[in-house]
Amino acid sequence: TFSIRSTTNTCVPPRPLGRTRRISIVGAGRPTPTAARHGRASSTNIRSRDPTRSVVHASQCRGRARLARLLAQDPEIELVAECRNGQEAVEAVGKHRPDLLFLDVQMPQVNGFDVLHQLSQNGSRERMPFVVFVTAHDQYALKAFDVNAVDFLLKPYDDERFHASLEKARKWIELRMNS
């Protein structure tokens, strides 16, 4: 896996994540942490639930760190990799098979759309992660939805907007799991 450390506002080479989080069984009648946070009751189904495996792909150190921090607030998320460039993202998706990919659009060498194209060419098409594009460039929004993105987070976004996007992605992941 890939990660970042920040020392004097510069990124250092990736290193293994120190820990990953797993969740346990979602109890009957008890809202999940996300549902409780948004004032909704959980589903009545009692079942073991695996964490949502996520990969963060962003060219800027602060952007990756913010996404990682927001994801770490949710006990139902397992952040399996943080990637600095498109090639790392392709490798991380192939290795970890995440459910969800937060993908920057403009990256050096391999942009976010090229990442998706490479994944579809590598045979990952049957189990492509759901994608949330995260970018400061609104001109890519239509193209993002053309490649079936779950959502498009336009920077600067606030925590509430991020959590709404995460919740939307969860619904798609849940539909896939139940089909």
Side-chain angles (χ1 to χ4, degrees):
T1 60
F2 304 97
S3 183
I4 59 168
R5 284 183 291 165
S6 181
T7 55
T8 63
N9 295 332
T10 60
C11 287
V12 297
R15 63 179 172 85
L17 291 172
R19 66 182 176 90
T20 56
R21 279 211 283 212
R22 301 208 178 268
I23 65 161
S24 57
I25 297 173
V26 177
R30 216 176 56 208
T32 63
T34 302
R37 185 172 44 247
H38 296 287
R40 293 187 302 272
S42 64
S43 127
T44 56
N45 296 340
I46 303 171
R47 62 181 181 77
S48 178
R49 183 171 168 161
D50 290 329
T52 300
R53 296 172 54 79
S54 301
V55 169
V56 170
H57 166 257
S59 60
Q60 296 178 343
C61 190
R62 279 187 289 170
R64 281 193 312 276
R66 179 161 189 240
L67 286 168
R69 179 184 55 79
L70 289 167
L71 290 168
Q73 294 172 359
D74 193 320
E76 296 179 5
I77 297 293
E78 179 185 5
L79 180 59
V80 294
E82 295 178 33
C83 308
R84 297 174 298 179
N85 59 55
Q87 192 54 45
E88 284 182 3
V90 170
E91 291 169 9
V93 169
K95 179 178 180 182
H96 299 288
R97 298 177 50 88
D99 303 300
L100 182 58
L101 174 61
F102 287 89
L103 190 60
D104 197 347
V105 174
Q106 285 198 325
M107 300 288 289
Q109 300 162 351
V110 181
N111 71 36
F113 296 107
D114 292 337
V115 167
L116 293 181
H117 180 74
Q118 284 186 26
L119 291 173
S120 69
Q121 298 301 310
N122 293 346
S124 301
R125 192 171 194 85
E126 74 281 350
R127 184 63 168 89
M128 285 284 283
F130 290 104
V131 176
V132 173
F133 279 100
V134 183
T135 186
H137 307 283
D138 62 354
Q139 69 265 28
Y140 296 110
L142 289 176
K143 187 173 181 181
F145 291 110
D146 284 344
V147 296
N148 298 317
V150 169
D151 208 351
F152 189 89
L153 283 176
L154 185 62
K155 297 175 190 175
Y157 55 89
D158 59 20
D159 291 4
E160 184 177 331
R161 176 68 180 96
F162 170 83
H163 290 294
S165 182
L166 183 59
E167 192 63 31
K168 184 188 286 188
R170 267 192 231 277
K171 289 177 183 176
W172 282 103
I173 293 165
E174 190 72 26
L175 282 171
R176 179 188 281 168
M177 289 173 38
N178 291 331
S179 62

